[in-house]
mmCIF file of all heavy atoms in Angstrom:
data_model
loop_
_atom_site.group_PDB
_atom_site.id
_atom_site.type_symbol
_atom_site.label_atom_id
_atom_site.label_comp_id
_atom_site.label_asym_id
_atom_site.label_seq_id
_atom_site.Cartn_x
_atom_site.Cartn_y
_atom_site.Cartn_z
ATOM 1 N N ASP A 1430 11.649 14.250 -15.110
ATOM 2 C CA ASP A 1430 10.714 15.474 -15.151
ATOM 3 C C ASP A 1430 10.432 15.788 -13.762
ATOM 4 O O ASP A 1430 9.770 15.012 -12.915
ATOM 5 C CB ASP A 1430 9.454 14.971 -15.916
ATOM 6 C CG ASP A 1430 8.498 16.082 -16.163
ATOM 7 O OD1 ASP A 1430 8.704 17.245 -15.491
ATOM 8 O OD2 ASP A 1430 7.479 15.910 -16.911
ATOM 9 N N PRO A 1431 10.659 17.032 -13.396
ATOM 10 C CA PRO A 1431 10.381 17.434 -11.974
ATOM 11 C C PRO A 1431 8.924 17.518 -11.569
ATOM 12 O O PRO A 1431 8.630 17.285 -10.416
ATOM 13 C CB PRO A 1431 11.083 18.827 -11.960
ATOM 14 C CG PRO A 1431 11.362 19.294 -13.285
ATOM 15 C CD PRO A 1431 11.409 18.042 -14.117
ATOM 16 N N LYS A 1432 8.020 17.691 -12.682
ATOM 17 C CA LYS A 1432 6.611 17.708 -12.358
ATOM 18 C C LYS A 1432 6.192 16.230 -11.892
ATOM 19 O O LYS A 1432 5.352 16.097 -10.900
ATOM 20 C CB LYS A 1432 5.880 18.150 -13.500
ATOM 21 C CG LYS A 1432 5.995 19.563 -13.792
ATOM 22 C CD LYS A 1432 5.253 20.024 -14.960
ATOM 23 C CE LYS A 1432 5.503 21.518 -15.329
ATOM 24 N NZ LYS A 1432 4.813 21.930 -16.535
ATOM 25 N N ILE A 1433 6.698 15.258 -12.507
ATOM 26 C CA ILE A 1433 6.292 13.904 -12.218
ATOM 27 C C ILE A 1433 6.933 13.436 -10.797
ATOM 28 O O ILE A 1433 6.311 12.827 -10.052
ATOM 29 C CB ILE A 1433 6.707 12.860 -13.392
ATOM 30 C CG1 ILE A 1433 5.939 13.256 -14.557
ATOM 31 C CG2 ILE A 1433 6.605 11.378 -12.933
ATOM 32 C CD1 ILE A 1433 6.197 12.468 -15.858
ATOM 33 N N LYS A 1434 8.274 13.954 -10.755
ATOM 34 C CA LYS A 1434 9.008 13.505 -9.500
ATOM 35 C C LYS A 1434 8.225 14.070 -8.271
ATOM 36 O O LYS A 1434 8.213 13.599 -7.222
ATOM 37 C CB LYS A 1434 10.437 14.035 -9.650
ATOM 38 C CG LYS A 1434 11.383 13.420 -8.521
ATOM 39 C CD LYS A 1434 12.733 13.819 -8.828
ATOM 40 C CE LYS A 1434 13.516 12.546 -9.053
ATOM 41 N NZ LYS A 1434 14.869 12.749 -9.333
ATOM 42 N N ALA A 1435 7.598 15.345 -8.488
ATOM 43 C CA ALA A 1435 7.027 16.023 -7.411
ATOM 44 C C ALA A 1435 5.707 15.109 -6.981
ATOM 45 O O ALA A 1435 5.265 15.281 -5.871
ATOM 46 C CB ALA A 1435 6.563 17.414 -7.799
ATOM 47 N N GLN A 1436 5.165 14.352 -7.912
ATOM 48 C CA GLN A 1436 4.061 13.477 -7.565
ATOM 49 C C GLN A 1436 4.178 12.185 -7.021
ATOM 50 O O GLN A 1436 3.373 11.352 -6.673
ATOM 51 C CB GLN A 1436 3.265 13.377 -8.870
ATOM 52 C CG GLN A 1436 2.696 14.625 -9.476
ATOM 53 C CD GLN A 1436 1.749 15.298 -8.564
ATOM 54 O OE1 GLN A 1436 0.862 14.722 -7.902
ATOM 55 N NE2 GLN A 1436 1.841 16.756 -8.532
ATOM 56 N N ALA A 1437 5.604 11.876 -6.834
ATOM 57 C CA ALA A 1437 6.033 10.525 -6.311
ATOM 58 C C ALA A 1437 5.357 10.326 -4.991
ATOM 59 O O ALA A 1437 4.965 9.109 -4.703
ATOM 60 C CB ALA A 1437 7.477 10.482 -6.192
ATOM 61 N N PHE A 1438 5.268 11.127 -3.973
ATOM 62 C CA PHE A 1438 4.700 10.981 -2.688
ATOM 63 C C PHE A 1438 3.374 10.480 -2.749
ATOM 64 O O PHE A 1438 2.780 9.599 -2.087
ATOM 65 C CB PHE A 1438 4.864 12.107 -1.805
ATOM 66 C CG PHE A 1438 4.527 11.878 -0.405
ATOM 67 C CD1 PHE A 1438 5.273 11.150 0.471
ATOM 68 C CD2 PHE A 1438 3.177 12.395 0.125
ATOM 69 C CE1 PHE A 1438 4.834 10.831 1.759
ATOM 70 C CE2 PHE A 1438 2.788 12.089 1.381
ATOM 71 C CZ PHE A 1438 3.588 11.248 2.257
ATOM 72 N N GLY A 1439 2.462 11.185 -3.707
ATOM 73 C CA GLY A 1439 1.133 10.824 -3.868
ATOM 74 C C GLY A 1439 1.016 9.464 -4.428
ATOM 75 O O GLY A 1439 0.119 8.644 -3.930
ATOM 76 N N PHE A 1440 1.871 8.992 -5.199
ATOM 77 C CA PHE A 1440 1.927 7.601 -5.843
ATOM 78 C C PHE A 1440 2.050 6.714 -4.663
ATOM 79 O O PHE A 1440 1.643 5.573 -4.550
ATOM 80 C CB PHE A 1440 2.864 7.509 -6.951
ATOM 81 C CG PHE A 1440 2.483 8.080 -8.180
ATOM 82 C CD1 PHE A 1440 3.352 8.879 -8.946
ATOM 83 C CD2 PHE A 1440 1.227 7.929 -8.766
ATOM 84 C CE1 PHE A 1440 2.989 9.528 -10.138
ATOM 85 C CE2 PHE A 1440 0.786 8.471 -9.864
ATOM 86 C CZ PHE A 1440 1.791 9.288 -10.582
ATOM 87 N N GLU A 1441 3.037 7.058 -3.730
ATOM 88 C CA GLU A 1441 3.434 6.140 -2.638
ATOM 89 C C GLU A 1441 2.155 5.994 -1.648
ATOM 90 O O GLU A 1441 1.896 4.904 -1.186
ATOM 91 C CB GLU A 1441 4.608 6.809 -1.823
ATOM 92 C CG GLU A 1441 5.891 6.728 -2.404
ATOM 93 C CD GLU A 1441 6.876 7.295 -1.516
ATOM 94 O OE1 GLU A 1441 7.370 6.539 -0.488
ATOM 95 O OE2 GLU A 1441 7.380 8.398 -1.797
ATOM 96 N N VAL A 1442 1.431 7.101 -1.538
ATOM 97 C CA VAL A 1442 0.193 6.982 -0.678
ATOM 98 C C VAL A 1442 -0.825 6.054 -1.306
ATOM 99 O O VAL A 1442 -1.446 5.250 -0.643
ATOM 100 C CB VAL A 1442 -0.331 8.399 -0.318
ATOM 101 C CG1 VAL A 1442 -1.711 8.306 0.421
ATOM 102 C CG2 VAL A 1442 0.639 9.245 0.514
ATOM 103 N N PHE A 1443 -1.014 6.252 -2.640
ATOM 104 C CA PHE A 1443 -1.943 5.447 -3.386
ATOM 105 C C PHE A 1443 -1.488 3.967 -3.294
ATOM 106 O O PHE A 1443 -2.345 3.039 -3.121
ATOM 107 C CB PHE A 1443 -1.961 5.887 -4.804
ATOM 108 C CG PHE A 1443 -2.800 5.112 -5.685
ATOM 109 C CD1 PHE A 1443 -4.352 5.305 -5.654
ATOM 110 C CD2 PHE A 1443 -2.406 4.087 -6.529
ATOM 111 C CE1 PHE A 1443 -5.076 4.549 -6.451
ATOM 112 C CE2 PHE A 1443 -3.315 3.273 -7.288
ATOM 113 C CZ PHE A 1443 -4.616 3.515 -7.212
ATOM 114 N N ASP A 1444 -0.221 3.736 -3.322
ATOM 115 C CA ASP A 1444 0.343 2.300 -3.417
ATOM 116 C C ASP A 1444 0.092 1.712 -1.950
ATOM 117 O O ASP A 1444 -0.389 0.534 -1.841
ATOM 118 C CB ASP A 1444 1.815 2.386 -3.675
ATOM 119 C CG ASP A 1444 2.405 1.046 -3.588
ATOM 120 O OD1 ASP A 1444 1.855 0.144 -4.356
ATOM 121 O OD2 ASP A 1444 3.420 0.672 -2.955
ATOM 122 N N ALA A 1445 0.172 2.490 -0.884
ATOM 123 C CA ALA A 1445 -0.010 1.995 0.439
ATOM 124 C C ALA A 1445 -1.476 1.637 0.682
ATOM 125 O O ALA A 1445 -1.872 0.631 1.202
ATOM 126 C CB ALA A 1445 0.433 3.062 1.450
ATOM 127 N N ASN A 1446 -2.417 2.552 0.157
ATOM 128 C CA ASN A 1446 -3.827 2.272 0.257
ATOM 129 C C ASN A 1446 -4.199 1.138 -0.521
ATOM 130 O O ASN A 1446 -5.107 0.302 -0.088
ATOM 131 C CB ASN A 1446 -4.634 3.515 -0.137
ATOM 132 C CG ASN A 1446 -4.488 4.687 0.791
ATOM 133 O OD1 ASN A 1446 -4.278 4.497 1.873
ATOM 134 N ND2 ASN A 1446 -4.654 5.829 0.347
ATOM 135 N N SER A 1447 -3.601 0.881 -1.720
ATOM 136 C CA SER A 1447 -3.931 -0.294 -2.519
ATOM 137 C C SER A 1447 -3.427 -1.549 -1.851
ATOM 138 O O SER A 1447 -4.265 -2.591 -1.831
ATOM 139 C CB SER A 1447 -3.333 -0.218 -3.809
ATOM 140 O OG SER A 1447 -3.736 0.870 -4.610
ATOM 141 N N LYS A 1448 -2.336 -1.524 -1.158
ATOM 142 C CA LYS A 1448 -1.836 -2.754 -0.484
ATOM 143 C C LYS A 1448 -2.623 -3.020 0.655
ATOM 144 O O LYS A 1448 -2.988 -4.106 1.072
ATOM 145 C CB LYS A 1448 -0.404 -2.495 -0.004
ATOM 146 C CG LYS A 1448 0.583 -2.477 -1.130
ATOM 147 C CD LYS A 1448 1.934 -2.273 -0.723
ATOM 148 C CE LYS A 1448 2.872 -2.380 -1.947
ATOM 149 N NZ LYS A 1448 4.301 -1.965 -1.569
ATOM 150 N N ARG A 1449 -3.174 -1.986 1.405
ATOM 151 C CA ARG A 1449 -4.090 -2.164 2.528
ATOM 152 C C ARG A 1449 -5.321 -2.896 2.099
ATOM 153 O O ARG A 1449 -5.789 -3.747 2.679
ATOM 154 C CB ARG A 1449 -4.441 -0.887 3.249
ATOM 155 C CG ARG A 1449 -5.412 -1.123 4.444
ATOM 156 C CD ARG A 1449 -5.703 0.192 5.159
ATOM 157 N NE ARG A 1449 -6.132 1.242 4.202
ATOM 158 C CZ ARG A 1449 -7.316 1.361 3.753
ATOM 159 N NH1 ARG A 1449 -8.320 0.497 4.030
ATOM 160 N NH2 ARG A 1449 -7.786 2.388 2.936
ATOM 161 N N GLN A 1450 -5.902 -2.367 1.062
ATOM 162 C CA GLN A 1450 -7.163 -2.978 0.398
ATOM 163 C C GLN A 1450 -7.030 -4.358 0.011
ATOM 164 O O GLN A 1450 -7.846 -5.217 0.273
ATOM 165 C CB GLN A 1450 -7.740 -2.060 -0.633
ATOM 166 C CG GLN A 1450 -8.302 -0.645 -0.199
ATOM 167 C CD GLN A 1450 -8.768 0.162 -1.288
ATOM 168 O OE1 GLN A 1450 -8.513 -0.146 -2.480
ATOM 169 N NE2 GLN A 1450 -9.365 1.213 -0.930
ATOM 170 N N ALA A 1451 -5.921 -4.728 -0.690
ATOM 171 C CA ALA A 1451 -5.559 -5.944 -1.113
ATOM 172 C C ALA A 1451 -5.467 -7.008 0.137
ATOM 173 O O ALA A 1451 -5.902 -8.142 0.037
ATOM 174 C CB ALA A 1451 -4.328 -6.032 -1.875
ATOM 175 N N ALA A 1452 -4.812 -6.503 1.172
ATOM 176 C CA ALA A 1452 -4.657 -7.276 2.406
ATOM 177 C C ALA A 1452 -6.051 -7.532 2.932
ATOM 178 O O ALA A 1452 -6.281 -8.639 3.586
ATOM 179 C CB ALA A 1452 -3.605 -6.573 3.311
ATOM 180 N N GLU A 1453 -6.817 -6.526 2.970
ATOM 181 C CA GLU A 1453 -8.226 -6.831 3.583
ATOM 182 C C GLU A 1453 -8.969 -7.932 2.867
ATOM 183 O O GLU A 1453 -9.801 -8.642 3.429
ATOM 184 C CB GLU A 1453 -8.969 -5.501 3.574
ATOM 185 C CG GLU A 1453 -8.499 -4.485 4.577
ATOM 186 C CD GLU A 1453 -9.212 -3.082 4.408
ATOM 187 O OE1 GLU A 1453 -9.931 -2.903 3.336
ATOM 188 O OE2 GLU A 1453 -8.946 -2.273 5.265
ATOM 189 N N LEU A 1454 -8.671 -8.081 1.541
ATOM 190 C CA LEU A 1454 -9.404 -9.059 0.736
ATOM 191 C C LEU A 1454 -8.747 -10.477 0.843
ATOM 192 O O LEU A 1454 -9.393 -11.409 0.408
ATOM 193 C CB LEU A 1454 -9.519 -8.556 -0.675
ATOM 194 C CG LEU A 1454 -10.172 -7.277 -0.937
ATOM 195 C CD1 LEU A 1454 -10.105 -6.724 -2.464
ATOM 196 C CD2 LEU A 1454 -11.755 -7.442 -0.596
ATOM 197 N N GLU A 1455 -7.663 -10.492 1.414
ATOM 198 C CA GLU A 1455 -7.036 -11.827 1.620
ATOM 199 C C GLU A 1455 -7.745 -12.765 2.587
ATOM 200 O O GLU A 1455 -8.165 -12.417 3.588
ATOM 201 C CB GLU A 1455 -5.553 -11.687 1.975
ATOM 202 C CG GLU A 1455 -4.878 -12.961 2.247
ATOM 203 C CD GLU A 1455 -4.558 -13.707 0.844
ATOM 204 O OE1 GLU A 1455 -4.108 -13.208 -0.062
ATOM 205 O OE2 GLU A 1455 -5.066 -14.833 0.931
ATOM 206 N N THR A 1456 -8.106 -14.033 1.982
ATOM 207 C CA THR A 1456 -8.869 -14.863 2.791
ATOM 208 C C THR A 1456 -8.072 -15.843 3.633
ATOM 209 O O THR A 1456 -8.557 -16.192 4.736
ATOM 210 C CB THR A 1456 -9.744 -15.746 1.919
ATOM 211 O OG1 THR A 1456 -8.901 -16.444 0.954
ATOM 212 C CG2 THR A 1456 -10.801 -14.981 1.092
ATOM 213 N N ASP A 1457 -6.824 -16.100 3.460
ATOM 214 C CA ASP A 1457 -5.927 -16.938 4.096
ATOM 215 C C ASP A 1457 -5.423 -16.040 5.339
ATOM 216 O O ASP A 1457 -4.761 -15.040 5.084
ATOM 217 C CB ASP A 1457 -4.753 -17.338 3.358
ATOM 218 C CG ASP A 1457 -3.851 -18.358 4.070
ATOM 219 O OD1 ASP A 1457 -3.482 -17.974 5.310
ATOM 220 O OD2 ASP A 1457 -3.423 -19.394 3.524
ATOM 221 N N PRO A 1458 -5.788 -16.365 6.573
ATOM 222 C CA PRO A 1458 -5.441 -15.627 7.814
ATOM 223 C C PRO A 1458 -3.885 -15.339 7.792
ATOM 224 O O PRO A 1458 -3.527 -14.189 8.131
ATOM 225 C CB PRO A 1458 -5.857 -16.415 8.985
ATOM 226 C CG PRO A 1458 -6.985 -17.330 8.394
ATOM 227 C CD PRO A 1458 -6.559 -17.570 6.962
ATOM 228 N N ALA A 1459 -2.907 -16.297 7.601
ATOM 229 C CA ALA A 1459 -1.597 -15.995 7.721
ATOM 230 C C ALA A 1459 -1.137 -15.066 6.622
ATOM 231 O O ALA A 1459 -0.243 -14.290 6.843
ATOM 232 C CB ALA A 1459 -0.849 -17.369 7.556
ATOM 233 N N LYS A 1460 -1.575 -15.286 5.383
ATOM 234 C CA LYS A 1460 -1.210 -14.305 4.273
ATOM 235 C C LYS A 1460 -1.683 -12.994 4.597
ATOM 236 O O LYS A 1460 -1.091 -11.928 4.305
ATOM 237 C CB LYS A 1460 -1.689 -14.789 2.979
ATOM 238 C CG LYS A 1460 -1.082 -16.134 2.421
ATOM 239 C CD LYS A 1460 -1.583 -16.548 1.078
ATOM 240 C CE LYS A 1460 -0.848 -17.667 0.647
ATOM 241 N NZ LYS A 1460 -1.378 -18.210 -0.658
ATOM 242 N N ARG A 1461 -2.977 -12.910 5.109
ATOM 243 C CA ARG A 1461 -3.588 -11.585 5.383
ATOM 244 C C ARG A 1461 -2.737 -10.796 6.462
ATOM 245 O O ARG A 1461 -2.431 -9.658 6.362
ATOM 246 C CB ARG A 1461 -5.037 -11.676 5.869
ATOM 247 C CG ARG A 1461 -5.750 -10.503 6.382
ATOM 248 C CD ARG A 1461 -7.076 -10.795 6.983
ATOM 249 N NE ARG A 1461 -7.642 -9.624 7.550
ATOM 250 C CZ ARG A 1461 -8.597 -8.842 6.963
ATOM 251 N NH1 ARG A 1461 -9.197 -9.255 5.973
ATOM 252 N NH2 ARG A 1461 -9.041 -7.809 7.549
ATOM 253 N N LYS A 1462 -2.334 -11.554 7.593
ATOM 254 C CA LYS A 1462 -1.503 -10.916 8.640
ATOM 255 C C LYS A 1462 -0.212 -10.416 8.007
ATOM 256 O O LYS A 1462 0.239 -9.348 8.309
ATOM 257 C CB LYS A 1462 -1.324 -11.958 9.728
ATOM 258 C CG LYS A 1462 -0.549 -11.287 10.913
ATOM 259 C CD LYS A 1462 -0.431 -12.250 12.063
ATOM 260 C CE LYS A 1462 0.350 -11.390 13.176
ATOM 261 N NZ LYS A 1462 0.659 -12.366 14.291
ATOM 262 N N ALA A 1463 0.531 -11.385 7.239
ATOM 263 C CA ALA A 1463 1.676 -10.964 6.636
ATOM 264 C C ALA A 1463 1.612 -9.677 5.659
ATOM 265 O O ALA A 1463 2.462 -8.824 5.719
ATOM 266 C CB ALA A 1463 2.362 -12.027 5.829
ATOM 267 N N ALA A 1464 0.551 -9.673 5.002
ATOM 268 C CA ALA A 1464 0.348 -8.569 4.091
ATOM 269 C C ALA A 1464 0.028 -7.311 4.865
ATOM 270 O O ALA A 1464 0.415 -6.150 4.519
ATOM 271 C CB ALA A 1464 -0.870 -8.773 3.072
ATOM 272 N N MET A 1465 -0.800 -7.359 5.967
ATOM 273 C CA MET A 1465 -0.952 -6.223 6.862
ATOM 274 C C MET A 1465 0.191 -5.653 7.476
ATOM 275 O O MET A 1465 0.398 -4.502 7.687
ATOM 276 C CB MET A 1465 -2.071 -6.571 7.958
ATOM 277 C CG MET A 1465 -3.517 -6.589 7.368
ATOM 278 S SD MET A 1465 -4.044 -5.067 6.887
ATOM 279 C CE MET A 1465 -5.680 -5.412 6.366
ATOM 280 N N GLU A 1466 1.102 -6.629 7.902
ATOM 281 C CA GLU A 1466 2.301 -6.215 8.630
ATOM 282 C C GLU A 1466 3.301 -5.501 7.582
ATOM 283 O O GLU A 1466 3.877 -4.566 7.894
ATOM 284 C CB GLU A 1466 2.971 -7.407 9.227
ATOM 285 C CG GLU A 1466 2.361 -8.020 10.427
ATOM 286 C CD GLU A 1466 2.900 -9.286 10.960
ATOM 287 O OE1 GLU A 1466 3.607 -9.942 10.193
ATOM 288 O OE2 GLU A 1466 2.542 -9.705 11.986
ATOM 289 N N ALA A 1467 3.235 -6.041 6.357
ATOM 290 C CA ALA A 1467 4.118 -5.293 5.309
ATOM 291 C C ALA A 1467 3.566 -3.986 4.965
ATOM 292 O O ALA A 1467 4.209 -2.899 4.815
ATOM 293 C CB ALA A 1467 4.178 -6.163 4.023
ATOM 294 N N THR A 1468 2.169 -3.909 4.953
ATOM 295 C CA THR A 1468 1.537 -2.537 4.667
ATOM 296 C C THR A 1468 1.661 -1.571 5.859
ATOM 297 O O THR A 1468 1.970 -0.376 5.552
ATOM 298 C CB THR A 1468 0.053 -2.782 4.473
ATOM 299 O OG1 THR A 1468 -0.088 -3.839 3.354
ATOM 300 C CG2 THR A 1468 -0.652 -1.495 4.178
ATOM 301 N N ALA A 1469 1.700 -2.038 7.063
ATOM 302 C CA ALA A 1469 1.999 -1.224 8.246
ATOM 303 C C ALA A 1469 3.394 -0.544 8.097
ATOM 304 O O ALA A 1469 3.580 0.653 8.349
ATOM 305 C CB ALA A 1469 1.890 -1.909 9.569
ATOM 306 N N LYS A 1470 4.456 -1.308 7.632
ATOM 307 C CA LYS A 1470 5.783 -0.833 7.399
ATOM 308 C C LYS A 1470 5.823 0.217 6.368
ATOM 309 O O LYS A 1470 6.476 1.263 6.447
ATOM 310 C CB LYS A 1470 6.719 -1.922 7.005
ATOM 311 C CG LYS A 1470 7.005 -2.861 8.237
ATOM 312 C CD LYS A 1470 7.881 -3.969 7.928
ATOM 313 C CE LYS A 1470 8.102 -4.859 9.094
ATOM 314 N NZ LYS A 1470 9.012 -6.005 8.699
ATOM 315 N N VAL A 1471 4.976 0.128 5.287
ATOM 316 C CA VAL A 1471 4.885 1.047 4.246
ATOM 317 C C VAL A 1471 4.304 2.380 4.758
ATOM 318 O O VAL A 1471 4.868 3.567 4.532
ATOM 319 C CB VAL A 1471 4.035 0.600 3.132
ATOM 320 C CG1 VAL A 1471 3.803 1.690 2.024
ATOM 321 C CG2 VAL A 1471 4.697 -0.637 2.448
ATOM 322 N N TYR A 1472 3.147 2.290 5.524
ATOM 323 C CA TYR A 1472 2.695 3.422 6.222
ATOM 324 C C TYR A 1472 3.554 4.131 7.160
ATOM 325 O O TYR A 1472 3.708 5.321 7.209
ATOM 326 C CB TYR A 1472 1.212 3.100 6.938
ATOM 327 C CG TYR A 1472 0.103 3.067 5.935
ATOM 328 C CD1 TYR A 1472 -0.475 1.873 5.901
ATOM 329 C CD2 TYR A 1472 -0.382 4.226 5.433
ATOM 330 C CE1 TYR A 1472 -1.632 1.777 5.052
ATOM 331 C CE2 TYR A 1472 -1.481 4.161 4.603
ATOM 332 C CZ TYR A 1472 -2.118 2.879 4.407
ATOM 333 O OH TYR A 1472 -3.186 2.765 3.559
#
């Protein structure tokens, strides 16, 4: 469906923001850093 496909970029942005928020909540410093680095690549 082209209407849904057109919204894919918005979903990518939402996914990146969700990953950033999840990384911020990580309590283990090593896991937090790894999650932030992975999120940086997404952004």
Side-chain angles (χ1 to χ4, degrees):
D1430 185 347
K1432 291 180 182 177
I1433 293 174
K1434 196 171 241 182
Q1436 299 298 318
F1438 185 76
F1440 288 131
E1441 288 181 75
V1442 175
F1443 180 81
D1444 184 55
N1446 289 331
S1447 297
K1448 287 178 179 177
R1449 179 181 52 80
Q1450 290 175 349
E1453 288 174 349
L1454 296 173
E1455 180 60 58
T1456 57
D1457 181 314
K1460 289 180 181 178
R1461 179 185 171 104
K1462 183 177 181 187
M1465 283 292 181
E1466 289 171 346
T1468 303
K1470 290 179 183 178
V1471 174
Y1472 278 114

